[in-house]
Every structure is written in C-alpha cells, then in structure tokens.
Amino acid sequence: MDPRQKNWIEDVYRRRVQDVYRFCRSLVGREGLAEDLTQETFMRLMTSQPRFANPAHEQAWLFLTARRLCYDYFKQAESQNQSLDTGSQEWPDSDPPAPSGRSEFGDLLDLLTPEQRPVIYLYYAEGYKTEEIARILGRKPATVRQQLKRARDRLAQALEERQEEGVRHG
C-alpha cells in the first residue's frame, strides 16, 4: 500500500470510527460485537479503497457497508442457530446489560426496538434526512418516517415515566 493510501485510510478511520461504531451498536445492541463489525467495516475500506465524490458519500458508504455486515452477521447466526438448534441466540432486541459510563443517548437507544435504533441514530446523531436513512437501511421512506415517529413517541413516554418517578421519589 502506498503512503498516500495509508494516510487516507488512517484519516478516514480517525474521523469516522466512532460514528461507525455507534451505528453498529445501534443495530446489534452489543458493544463487543459492534467493535468487531466496526473493524470489519474498515477492513473492507482498506481492501476496496473506493473513491468518494464528497464526505457525505464517504460516510454513506461506511454506513451501508456496516449495515450489510451487521445484517450478514444476523443471517449467519440465525442459520447456525436453526441448523444446530443450540438454544437461545442473543439478538439485539434482548436487553443488553448497561455498561457503566454509558452515555444517556446510548441508554435511550436501548429503550427502542432494533428497527428504531438506527433510524433515531442516523436522524439525530448524524443528521440524515428520512430519504437518506431509507437508502442506507434499505427501507422505504414511509417506513422510516413511521419508525421515527414511533421511536419519538416511545422516548417521550420513557422520559415522562422517568419524570413521574422522580417526582414520586424526590
């Protein structure tokens, strides 16, 4: 690999690794798995070395690649689980243990369904529009808007419950 390519990949990694990790975490619900999938995303970047027209295309490519890797992981895990019939598979809709020091945003993502997590993350944390989210996630724009509305409603309900509990205990 020539030094310019190496510098470019290191630059993309520094700028985007946290975004890709949070996106993977929103999809899979588990930190260690999200870390592995993030690393694999950047391995794909190294091997394919695509050319991007602008930073938005770069970020979209990374998210699309990460999404495919996450979905491929679940397809593989599901087929292994069905063929081996080895009991319960930990899926992202299970409640992962909340590690200490987690951000409040991460805690809020855990309140959502696996379908809602990446929608909320991409909309609020990354600033994508619903049409762009639909393209990244391979969903219809109307589905994304519906998931966004349901996620907002769920988060509003959870925040209201927290406030009510604080008033009762406080």
Side-chain angles (χ1 to χ4, degrees):
M1 179 180 306
D2 85 30
R4 285 188 331 205
Q5 291 172 318
K6 182 180 180 208
N7 289 340
W8 173 75
I9 289 171
E10 288 173 354
D11 178 57
V12 172
Y13 183 83
R14 270 192 307 278
R15 288 184 292 110
R16 303 290 188 189
V17 67
Q18 289 302 313
D19 297 335
V20 173
Y21 167 77
R22 286 188 299 266
F23 179 68
C24 289
R25 173 70 172 83
S26 77
L27 285 170
V28 300
R30 295 185 355 227
E31 290 183 9
L33 179 56
E35 290 170 1
D36 292 345
L37 293 166
T38 298
Q39 293 305 315
E40 181 61 29
T41 300
F42 283 95
M43 292 299 294
R44 299 273 171 100
L45 179 69
M46 282 178 49
T47 57
S48 66
Q49 297 185 13
R51 302 231 183 254
F52 303 114
N54 58 50
H57 288 167
E58 173 187 278
Q59 187 172 24
W61 185 93
L62 290 167
F63 284 151
L64 284 167
T65 301
R67 178 193 68 132
R68 284 187 202 108
L69 289 168
C70 291
Y71 288 0
D72 288 349
Y73 167 81
F74 287 121
K75 286 179 192 174
Q76 181 183 16
E78 185 176 76
S79 70
Q80 288 176 350
N81 192 32
Q82 287 176 351
S83 65
L84 298 176
D85 205 14
T86 60
S88 68
Q89 168 72 34
E90 186 175 338
W91 292 99
D93 58 346
S94 64
D95 293 328
S100 60
R102 280 268 313 274
S103 71
E104 189 171 339
F105 187 71
D107 292 341
L108 291 173
L109 284 177
D110 287 342
L111 298 173
L112 303 174
T113 67
E115 293 80 21
Q116 295 168 339
R117 287 179 196 143
V119 172
I120 287 289
Y121 175 78
L122 290 171
Y123 189 81
Y124 287 106
E126 297 299 329
Y128 280 100
K129 294 181 166 92
T130 55
E131 292 77 17
E132 295 167 318
I133 296 169
R135 187 173 35 82
I136 289 170
L137 297 177
R139 300 175 187 167
K140 295 179 181 177
T143 302
V144 168
R145 285 188 289 275
Q146 182 182 48
Q147 290 169 337
L148 190 56
K149 182 195 180 317
R150 288 182 179 165
R152 286 179 184 140
D153 291 346
R154 173 67 190 118
L155 291 174
Q157 178 187 2
L159 291 173
E160 187 176 301
E161 290 169 1
R162 284 184 182 178
Q163 285 178 341
E164 288 174 4
E165 188 163 314
V167 168
R168 282 189 297 239
H169 292 30

